[in-house]
């Protein structure tokens, strides 16, 4: 019996040792698992935060690009509306020049005078239509010479005018709003 008791005691000791070892192993494993899961969660949280930041940056850039696109489109539409009559005006300018040359003719003949009166009425209507579209004449005698508005074809000495002043307009210039359609051809004093 003593053998049995000692054998039982040995088994109990072995069982107790195994239990202690298992308990120690479990205690040692739990903190590692917790640390691993915490670091995994931290890494995952950092990755998610980086993704959110990247998406926010992409969103902000896209929003800025869209705002710039809308602004450019609005400006283009405004410019198109502002200068819509430019091509037509450029094509009409030679006809207006011809009207002015024809109206400069003087005659005593009644038929010619009647014809000139009709032409003058058409000429005024054309000028009014151009003015309604924002087209105006540039280049008047006595103005200071401006290379953006005038094209100097001659320079003459003049006692009446200071230097760089328009003395004579050879061909009228026109501008549409702030855009020069055709510079005025002028003589300038030296």
């Amino acid at each position: 019996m003593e053998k049995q008791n000692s054998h039982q005691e040995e088994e109990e000791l072995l069982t107790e040792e195994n239990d202690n070892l298992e308990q120690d192993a479990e205690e040692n494993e739990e903190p590692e698992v917790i640390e691993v899961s915490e670091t995994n969660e931290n890494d995952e949280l950092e990755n998610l935060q980086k993704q959110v930041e990247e998406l926010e940056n992409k969103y902000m850039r896209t929003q800025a690009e869209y705002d710039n696109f809308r602004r450019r489109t609005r400006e283009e539409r405004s410019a198109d509306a502002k200068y819509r009559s430019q091509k037509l005006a450029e094509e009409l300018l030679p006809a207006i020049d011809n009207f002015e040359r024809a109206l400069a003719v003087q005659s005593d003949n009644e038929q010619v005078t009647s014809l000139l009166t009709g032409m003058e009425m058409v000429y005024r209507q054309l000028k009014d239509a151009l003015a309604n579209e924002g087209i105006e004449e540039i280049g008047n005698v006595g103005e200071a010479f401006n290379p953006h508005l005038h094209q100097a074809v001659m320079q003459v000495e003049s006692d009446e005018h200071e230097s760089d002043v328009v003395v004579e307009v050879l061909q009228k210039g026109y501008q549409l709003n702030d855009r020069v359609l055709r510079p005025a051809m002028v003589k300038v004093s030296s």
Side-chain angles (χ1 to χ4, degrees), residues 67-81:
D67 289 343
N68 289 336
F69 170 75
R70 281 192 346 211
R71 181 187 45 80
R72 277 193 313 271
T73 303
R74 186 175 43 246
E75 288 172 359
E76 288 172 2
R77 284 184 186 163
S78 174
D80 287 345

Side-chain angles (χ1 to χ4, degrees), residues 9-23:
E9 283 179 18
E10 280 180 30
E11 280 184 19
E12 284 178 13
L13 282 176
L14 281 176
T15 307
E16 199 174 301
E17 263 182 55
N18 280 341
D19 288 343
N20 287 340
L21 285 175
E22 284 178 7
Q23 191 176 17

Side-chain angles (χ1 to χ4, degrees), residues 12-114:
E12 284 178 13
L13 282 176
L14 281 176
T15 307
E16 199 174 301
E17 263 182 55
N18 280 341
D19 288 343
N20 287 340
L21 285 175
E22 284 178 7
Q23 191 176 17
D24 286 345
E26 285 177 8
E27 287 175 3
N28 288 337
E29 284 179 19
E30 283 180 15
E32 290 176 13
V33 169
I34 290 174
E35 287 177 20
V36 168
S37 65
E38 281 181 13
T39 50
N40 283 342
E41 286 178 8
N42 288 339
D43 289 343
E44 189 175 324
L45 183 62
E46 286 177 18
N47 287 337
L48 289 174
Q49 286 174 339
K50 285 179 186 177
Q51 287 176 353
V52 166
E53 287 175 14
E54 288 174 9
L55 290 174
E56 283 177 347
N57 287 336
K58 284 181 183 179
Y59 171 75
M60 296 302 276
R61 281 193 299 272
T62 303
Q63 185 66 34
E65 288 174 8
Y66 180 69
D67 289 343
N68 289 336
F69 170 75
R70 281 192 346 211
R71 181 187 45 80
R72 277 193 313 271
T73 303
R74 186 175 43 246
E75 288 172 359
E76 288 172 2
R77 284 184 186 163
S78 174
D80 287 345
K82 188 175 183 181
Y83 302 115
R84 73 179 182 275
S85 56
Q86 179 175 347
K87 183 149 179 69
L88 178 62
E90 288 171 345
E91 291 177 10
L92 286 177
L93 292 181
I96 289 174
D97 292 339
N98 289 332
F99 265 108
E100 289 173 352
R101 284 187 207 101
L103 292 172
V105 171
Q106 298 294 326
S107 175
D108 292 336
N109 188 336
E110 237 179 83
Q111 290 179 336
V112 173
T113 307
S114 173

